[in-house]
Structures are given as C-alpha cells and as structure tokens.
C-alpha cells in the first residue's frame, strides 16, 4: 500500500501532527508513506518506508490578487494554492490513499488538484487531530471571537473527504453532531510507544508540580497557576510551567505576558521553562512530581498518557479526550480529573496525592503493570480500506470552485512574462522568501513610528494640551445638535460621551481622538449631559452630574442645589439630600451641620434590631465558633454552588472552627433549594436564614451578625472568594494582638464567565506599605474580601446603616476608622469574581450615596471627627500623604488636594504654628488652578489651551517648591508629582454613566 501524507517536513518539524505521522510510519512498516519536503534536508534520517517528495511551488496566492468573483470566495485561495502545489509535487504518481490532516485546510481542493496533475489515487482520508479554529477561539488573544471562513473551510473539508478517522472518540463525536458521515476510531494503542512505569527516585522533599504543554489558553496553564495558588506552599517543592508559548497574529503578544501577570498578581513563585526534550521528560516523569495537563479542550493529549504510563501521578482537565480514553480503556488506572468549570473541586484529590505521594505512585504503577495494553480496534490499513462516504453536494461545489480558480490561473499564464519562466519563477520565490523578513521589519518600523506619533495621547497632560484648541469647535458641533425626538437626544448624549470619555474610541481615527476624550471644562459638559438626561427622563442621572459640578467647584455656582434636592427626595434619597444641603448650603453653617450629621449616624446605629425571619435552617452543631462568614443572598442561586464549594476549602471550615451564615434577603430565586441540595454534600457548619421582604446588603449583614456565634467576622458576596488559608492566617493575627481590630490581605479582581471560570485578571488591590490613614485617601485600602475583624467593633461603634443600598460598607469604615487599629498581611488572600452581569455597587445611585458615606467625612467637619482625639503629628503626616500617595489599585502616585486643603484648615485651627502648614499656600493655589481648569467661563478658541498651559506651569512651580523641603519619611518614600490629572478629582467619580440609548424611538 502506498500512502501520500499531504503534510510537510515530517522528520524536521516537531508539532503534534508531525509526531503522530512519524509514529504511524514507524508502526506500519508494511505501508510505504510519502510526504512533501519543503525545508527538510534530503539527507534527513528516515525509516525505510518513508519517502520525501520535493515541494514544487507552481502556484502563488499573489496570482489571484486581481480575482474578484463572488464565488469562490477569496478566503479559499490559500487552500487552492497549497492543494495544487502538493499535487504538483506528486505529478503522475500513483497512491492508494492520500492522507490529509484536518489542522490544515487544503483538503478542500486536494481531490480536484490531484486529478488536475494526473495523480492516480484511490481515496482521500481526513486525519482528525483538532481544528485550528477552535484553538484560535480558545486562545488568549481574540477574546473568544470566531472565524467564519475558517469554520466553513473545516466543515466543507470534513464533508468532501472519502474517509475520516481520528484518535479521539470525543472529537469524532463532536463532528458527528455536525454531520452523520461515517468516521473511524484509530486507537492510540496502535501507534503509541507507551513507557514502562517506574517508582520515583527517593526524595525527602515534597513533590514538584509541573504543567507540561504549549501554553495556549485551551491547554489550561492559567488553571494550573490558579490551582497552585490554592495549594499550601509547604505541600510542594517547586511549580513550573514547561512548554512553548503561543503568540498573536503579529507576534506582539504572547501567552507568557498573560501568565507572568497572573503569577505576579498571586505572589507565587512559578517558573516558566522552555520545552523539554523527550529524554528530559523521561527523567522528569521518574522524579517525585505531579504532572498537570488541565486542558479546557484537547482532542486527546499525548503528554498525559506519557506521564501517567511512566508512573507519574497526573491531573487532567476534563476537556481533554484522553479522559474518556483512560476511563474506557484503563478504568483501574487512577488519575486526577479536573472539572474545568469547577477547578477547586479537584483540590482534595490533589492534596491526597501530595500528602501520600509514595503510596499513591506505588498503586498507580501496580495498576498500570496489571493492565492489558492491546486493542482489537481497527488497524490503520483497515481504516484506509473502509467504504467511502462523503457529501456529494459539497464535493460538487468544491470541484466547481477549483475549476473556476484553475481556469483563471491558466488564463493568466497564456501571455509572456519573465515570472512564468521556470528558472525565473524559482528565483522569484527565493527572492520573495528573502524579502519577506525585510518587509516584516519595515512593517514593524512603521508600527513603531505610528506608536511614537500616538505616544503624546497616552500621557494625559500632553493629550489635553494637544486637544484643547479643538474644544470650542467640538462644542459647536455637539451642543447645536438636534433635540426634536428621543432619538435625537440619544444621539446627542452619545456625542457628549465621546467628548468627555473614551466612548467609541475603538472605532476612532487618530484625528477623531484629538477631538474627543476631554478632561478639561468638565463642569460645562457634565451639566449639558445632565440637561439632556433630564429631558430623557433620567432624573437621578441628571442630579448626579449636577452634583458633581457642585462638588468640583465646592459651591452651587449655577443654582442647581434645589433641583438636586428635589430629584433625590423624589427618588428616595432623603438622607443624601439632607447631607448635600448641609455640605453645600449656607457657608457659615456647613461645618456645624455636617458634624451633627456624622455624630447622629453614630447614635442611630448603636443597636442591632430584634429580627424576624421567614425561615431559619440551622445546621450548626456548636454554640461557639472562632470565625463567622456572613453572606448576603439575592438572585444568587446560579453562583451559590461554586461559592460554597470554594469556601469549604477553608482550613478553619474543615476543622469546624468557622461557620457560614447565609442571609437570603427575600430573593425571588431558588437559593434555598440550591442550599438544601448542597448542604449534605458540603457537611459544614452552616445556617440559612431568609427575610420576608427584600432588604439591603447592610441590613442582611446586620442579621448575619445577630445570628453569628463567633468573635471574628468575615463578609463575602457569592461573587467573591478567599484563599484556603485566609481565615486561619487572619484569625491568628487577631489572636496574637488583642489591640488589633481589623486585618486584611491583598486581593485580586478577576473577570470570570457565567460559570465562574477565570477569563482574565483585571487588577490587584496591592496594600503594601499600608498605613491606616491611607483609607481616608482611598477606601479600598481596608477591605472585606480577604479580611477579618472583631465582632466587638459593633459593641463599641454600632452596626451597619441599613438605609444604604450599596455604600453602607464605606460609611461604616468612615464612622469607625478614627477609633480602631488595623493591619495588612502581605499576602493575596481575597478574590473578586466579576461575572458578566453588572455589579450593584457601580451605579449613579451609589455615587449619590457616597456623598453620605464618603464625601461627608472629607469635609472640615469630617476631618474634625477623624482627628479630634489624635495627635498633631498624625494629622501632619496625612497632609504629606494626601500630596503623594498610591491608590491600592494603581502603580502611579496620586494627589488629593481637596482633602489636603481641609486637613490644613483644621491644622490651622488646632496648631497654627505647624511646620506642615508651609505647604498650605501652594495647596490652595493649586486647588484653585485645578478648579479653574474644570470650569472655563469665557470660552474662545485658545482659552482652553492657555488655561491648560497656565495650570501646568503653576503645578510645575509648586511641585518644585514642595520637593525642596519634602519629608519623604512622612510620605512612605514617595516624591510629590503634580500632574493635574493624577489628582483624586480626576480619579474618583469622574467617569461617565452610559445610560440606555438603544430603545429610543
């Protein structure tokens, strides 16, 4: 039997497909195999039944640069060219079978191409390894986007082949769901040289953890990183990612970039190592190690088989076809199966292997040695001789397409051209291959030049300076737009969004970007958006923007306060209306009224309620616990299983020292049914309580505190989680220091899909160099996710204010902060799971609530409340920090001139001779300059740019003045940099609220 393998350089390339073909050549000496050699040297060692055909490039894709027919489509031209050149390389020869891999697409036209070049053959067999479209769709770079042309080519290739065979039953079944054409299973035992299992070399150290494979996202290297993060550090020696990286289409991004980011965010020591040679893998599998191949998707996965049958314990993602192969062929051989939609469920099995490694490996080796490695499934020769089965309609269409393309090609060969002379054509091809790298280099240079041109737009001060001259013209276009209908208003507000943000920026040219994204004269734009939103019926949004204008200018310059109060009362924000009136009403009464409101809040929340419940299902078996985890539930049924299964890995939960308190706030969902189904499986101390009506998160937390039987409290949502040792680590800190009230670690915000599976890291909350007063500058420095505090805080300072819809946690921190002691543990312990649905704490309503929860405490009255019983030195140090600090979720330094100004006003009252007041004049001057940049009353073409330049000069001069006498010790070693747009007025509540404009008519 003679078989032509329609692939290249089988004994030079090292891909999975080439490895498979080398194996079947070796295992089938009775068959003569031919393949195409393009770059493989003629003297390359090959088995005697392997024959290389020299590649003949008669067709080029550029031959079709002027082909513009409707059919065949342009995207099949490469497949046509490659199929024709492969056929040309085998001209006038005879084969029984032509074997084409499905990871290429030239199988579309292989049959008509072979006929065109008079290659005599019996059938075309499609060797099914894994389609490239799925690899691309599941990789890091395209965000799950599809590729319609590639999908169509792969489907048509499947239908036109005479025979289909594959080494994975799961993969064959996938294709059967698309088309019921016959396909044949080629058992991997026919071609694999499985190693002999061995016990590991003696070692007293814990096992190593090794991910092995290409670091494409579908292979699950991110799952490995996440699992290692959850495994206690003392349970393994080292963790390594071993394998080549994947790259985007132009090699500007790699999987290494993503993985390094993940590793850094998780504070883990995971080494990224290059691919290993086969001999090195043999040695690795013989060592005391656990192999991970946590594939989301793999047709089979040969690495898993090599590792497992070497006797090395192996953890395999259930997306790999090898799981089914092992379960059906070797049910007695143990391996760890990782559910890629619930990866933490595999942690107990992994822990058992790590805790009892030698015993586990001995059993694994014994089971493999007792297994039968033979199979009665069809041999390759039998598959090649099976009956032919194809889609005749698809084949006829492809034959017609080939005929059209080859006719077009022939028509362009009739005239004289130097390029058609065989020798010249070879030279042309060689020159092209030499020019290609130069062309790529030129393109790269052009790209870098373009990036340099755009560089000024990346630095906000420079960008705003460049944009400023166009502002008035942009106002003329936007402000004069029609307002006749709701559709007009929707279009107009979108233009305003472009003016004041990056809205629509992905579709904008460089010229467009120079006329959008303004961060100057914001008061005018925000008030215009407010006017439009009011006309559109979005009263609360309108009030939010008008309130921003008042806040930025610290005065009601336009008489908007009465509208804001009316709108807030209409929308049920009566307490916020009272606070805002106190903050921006009569100047002489502001401080006294604000201070009274702060004090009253403390008194109003001093006691918890006596709660009634619709139901309480209490499954706790102790009267006292060390830690309570309190969870508010509302429409949380879908997320609850993953949340609870992750939480059960807490070491304190496993030891019965922690209880879980679920508070269902009158949810319309099936949370209780989900709880009942899970409770017996989890077998952990837990109570489920449900209120009769819907309540706020903070009210639910107060209920949870009432139900608690522990002295330490933790609060989580079902879209948040904590690392397994989190509660134990934090509780030990509180036990060690009786004066310590609240302790937190770092946390990480991640994006997950609807199943809770990791998609990407968004940002870390890095709280290094923590000082408690940083919380006055950036509230996220003290958190709940990955944190623990003493229940006694509530006995001293009251409970959560249940009147808040989403900002009650911020108000509670503001209220208690002057009186508690807190600390940060330098470990990442908390994780936010950002599901695709919106978070309730991000809305105009919560921004309004922040006036009561946060901004009230930043007034002069708030400063007095915070520092009435604290030292002058602490107040002075916070002034330094407010001029130079880092937000926990940023890497750059920020300023907070509003707060610095109020701190100085209070310091002048209590200690007017303070040395820190030497900065006050500069703070006041710079704050007024920043305010003048947010409201430019007299507009002309050049007034915006002159205002930006003037503000930059003022900032630069004050920066120099302050740096000359700066106390770095008081600012945690940071140096003040006044960049205008790094001030808190541009970093908090400065983004736009994009309301619904799609339903306008």
């Amino acid at each position: 039997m003679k078989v032509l393998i329609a692939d290249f350089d089988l004994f030079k390339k090292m891909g999975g497909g080439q490895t498979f073909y080398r194996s079947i050549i070796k295992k089938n000496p009775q068959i003569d195999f031919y393949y195409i050699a393009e770059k493989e040297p003629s003297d390359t060692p090959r088995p005697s039944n392997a024959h290389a055909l020299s590649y003949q490039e008669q067709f080029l894709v550029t031959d079709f640069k002027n082909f513009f027919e409707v059919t065949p489509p342009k995207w099949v031209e490469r497949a046509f060219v490659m199929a024709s050149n492969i056929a040309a390389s085998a001209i006038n020869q005879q084969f029984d079978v032509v074997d084409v891999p499905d990871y290429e697409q030239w199988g579309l036209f292989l049959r008509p191409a072979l006929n065109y070049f008079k290659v005599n053959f019996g059938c075309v067999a499609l060797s099914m390894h894994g389609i490239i479209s799925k690899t691309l769709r599941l990789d890091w770079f395209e965000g799950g986007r599809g590729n319609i042309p590639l999908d169509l080519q792969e489907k048509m290739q499947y239908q036109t082949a005479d025979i289909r065979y594959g080494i994975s039953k799961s993969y064959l079944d996938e294709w059967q769901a698309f088309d019921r054409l016959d396909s044949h299973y080629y058992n991997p035992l026919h071609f694999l040289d499985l190693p002999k299992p061995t016990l590991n070399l003696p070692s007293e150290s814990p096992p190593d953890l090794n991910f092995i494979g290409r670091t494409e996202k579908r292979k699950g290297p991110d799952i490995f990183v996440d699992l290692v993060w959850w495994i206690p550090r003392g349970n393994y020696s080292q963790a390594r990612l071993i394998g080549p990286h994947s790259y985007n289409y132009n090699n500007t991004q790699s999987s290494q970039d993503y993985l390094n980011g993940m590793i850094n965010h998780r504070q883990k020591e995971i080494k990224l190592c290059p691919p290993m040679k086969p001999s090195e893998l043999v040695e690795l599998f013989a060592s005391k190690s656990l192999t991970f191949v946590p594939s989301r998707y793999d047709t089979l996965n040969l690495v898993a088989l090599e590792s497992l049958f070497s006797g090395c314990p192996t953890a395999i993602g259930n997306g790999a076809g090898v799981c089914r192969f092992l379960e059906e062929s070797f049910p007695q051989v143990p391996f760890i199966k990782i559910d890629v939609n619930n990866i933490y469920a595999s942690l107990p099995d992994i822990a058992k292997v790590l805790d009892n490694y030698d015993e586990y490996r001995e059993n694994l080796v014994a089971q493999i040695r007792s297994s039968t490695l033979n199979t009665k499934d069809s041999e390759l020769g039998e598959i090649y001789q099976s009956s032919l089965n194809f889609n005749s309609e698809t084949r006829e269409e492809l034959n017609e397409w080939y005929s059209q393309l080859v006719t077009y090609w022939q028509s362009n060969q009739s005239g004289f051209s130097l390029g058609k002379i065989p020798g010249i054509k070879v030279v042309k091809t060689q020159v092209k291959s030499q020019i290609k790298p130069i062309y790529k280099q030129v393109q790269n240079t052009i790209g870098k030049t373009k990036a340099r041109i755009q560089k000024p737009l990346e630095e906000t001060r420079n960008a705003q300076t460049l944009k400023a001259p166009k502002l008035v013209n942009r106002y003329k276009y936007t402000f004069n737009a029609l307002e006749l209908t709701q559709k007009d208003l929707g279009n107009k507000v979108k233009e305003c969004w472009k003016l004041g943000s990056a809205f629509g920026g992905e579709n904008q040219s460089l010229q467009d970007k120079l006329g959008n994204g303004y961060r100057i004269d914001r008061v005018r734009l925000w008030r215009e958006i407010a006017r439009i939103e009011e006309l559109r019926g979005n009263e609360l949004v309108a009030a939010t923007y008008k309130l921003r204008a008042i806040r930025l200018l610290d005065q009601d310059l336009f008489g908007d306060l009465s509208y804001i109060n009316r709108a807030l009362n209409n929308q049920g924000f009566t307490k916020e209306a009272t606070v805002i009136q106190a903050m921006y009403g009569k100047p002489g009464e502001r401080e006294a009224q604000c201070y009274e409101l702060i004090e009253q809040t403390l008194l109003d929340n001093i006691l918890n309620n006596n709660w009634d419940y619709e139901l309480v299902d209490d499954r706790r078996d102790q009267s006292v616990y060390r830690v309570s985890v309190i969870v508010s539930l509302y429409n949380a049924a879908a997320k609850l299983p993953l949340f609870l299964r992750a939480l059960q890995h807490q070491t304190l939960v496993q030891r019965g020292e922690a209880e879980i308190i679920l508070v269902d706030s009158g949810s319309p969902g099936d949370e209780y049914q989900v709880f009942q189904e899970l409770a017996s499986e989890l077998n952990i101390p837990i109570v489920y309580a449900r209120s009769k009506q819907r309540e706020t998160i903070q009210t639910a937390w107060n209920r949870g505190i009432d139900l608690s039987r522990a002295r330490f409290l933790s609060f989580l949502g079902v879209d948040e989680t904590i690392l397994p040792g989190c509660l134990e680590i934090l509780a030990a800190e509180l036990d060690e220091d009786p004066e310590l009230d609240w302790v937190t670690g770092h946390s990480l915000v991640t994006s997950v899909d609807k199943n809770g599976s990791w998609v990407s890291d968004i940002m870390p909350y890095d709280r290094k160099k923590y000082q408690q007063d940083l919380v006055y500058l950036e509230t996220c420095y003290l958190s709940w996710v990955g944190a623990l505090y003493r229940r006694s805080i509530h006995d001293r300072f009251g409970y959560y204010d249940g009147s808040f819809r989403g900002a009650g946690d911020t108000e509670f921190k503001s209220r208690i902060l002057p009186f508690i002691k807190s600390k940060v543990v330098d470990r990442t312990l908390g994780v936010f799971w950002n599901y695709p649905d919106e978070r309730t704490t991000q809305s105009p309503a919560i921004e309004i609530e922040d006036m009561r929860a946060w901004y009230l405490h930043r007034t002069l009255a708030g400063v007095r409340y915070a520092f009435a019983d604290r030292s002058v030195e602490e107040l002075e140090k916070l002034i330094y920090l407010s001029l130079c600090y880092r937000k926990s979720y940023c890497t750059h330094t920020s300023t907070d001139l509003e707060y610095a100004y109020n701190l100085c006003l209070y310091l002048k009252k209590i200690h007017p001779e303070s040395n820190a007041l030497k900065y006050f004049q500069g703070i006041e001057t710079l704050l007024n300059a920043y305010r003048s940049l947010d409201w430019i009353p007299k507009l002309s073409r050049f007034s915006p740019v002159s205002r930006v330049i003037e503000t930059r000069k003022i900032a630069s001069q004050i920066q120099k003045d302050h740096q000359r006498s700066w106390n770095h010790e008081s600012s945690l070693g940071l140096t003040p940099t006044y960049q205008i747009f790094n001030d808190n007025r541009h970093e908090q509540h400065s983004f736009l609220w994009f309301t619904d404009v799609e339903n306008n008519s």
Side-chain angles (χ1 to χ4, degrees), residues 703-753:
R703 286 180 177 271
I705 296 166
D706 182 59
L707 292 166
S708 167
R709 296 175 180 175
R711 65 185 189 274
F712 302 147
L713 304 179
S714 172
F715 296 82
L716 292 172
V718 291
D719 52 0
E720 297 155 351
T721 193
I722 47 180
L723 274 289
C726 174
L727 297 178
E728 184 172 7
I729 291 167
L730 300 179
E733 293 285 340
L734 292 172
D735 282 335
E736 185 177 334
D737 182 359
E739 300 297 315
L740 184 62
D741 295 297
W742 194 319
V743 60
T744 184
H746 311 301
S747 49
L748 177 64
V749 183
T750 66
S751 172
V752 298
D753 63 20

Side-chain angles (χ1 to χ4, degrees), residues 197-295:
T198 62
L199 298 176
N200 59 284
L201 301 172
S203 173
E204 295 298 320
S205 301
D208 292 337
L209 308 178
N210 297 313
F211 169 92
I212 304 174
R214 191 171 180 84
T215 57
E216 298 165 349
K217 192 173 182 182
R218 71 180 178 93
K219 296 281 189 179
D222 55 293
I223 293 176
F224 173 73
V225 173
D226 228 9
L227 285 173
V228 170
W229 191 25
W230 281 59
I231 297 171
R233 184 60 188 88
N235 289 13
Y236 63 93
S237 290
Q238 63 174 332
R240 292 179 289 185
L241 284 155
I242 303 169
H245 301 299
S246 63
Y247 295 84
N248 66 344
Y249 73 99
N250 61 357
N251 290 335
T252 57
Q253 282 184 301
S254 77
S255 51
Q256 182 177 5
D257 302 328
Y258 290 89
L259 293 170
N260 276 331
M262 283 191 73
I263 293 166
N264 291 336
H265 291 158
R266 288 157 182 75
Q267 297 179 296
K268 298 303 294 185
E269 294 178 6
I270 300 177
K271 297 179 182 176
L272 272 68
C273 304
M276 286 187 170
K277 299 175 183 176
S279 59
E280 292 174 320
L281 286 176
V282 169
E283 188 176 329
L284 185 71
F285 296 146
S287 68
K288 190 175 183 180
S289 61
L290 172 58
T291 299
F292 285 78
V293 281
S295 299

Side-chain angles (χ1 to χ4, degrees), residues 468-469 472 936 938-949:
V472 172
I936 307 172
K938 295 180 180 179
L939 278 180
S940 65
R941 180 179 177 185
F942 296 108
S943 61
V945 71
S946 64
R947 184 62 58 85
V948 173
I949 292 171

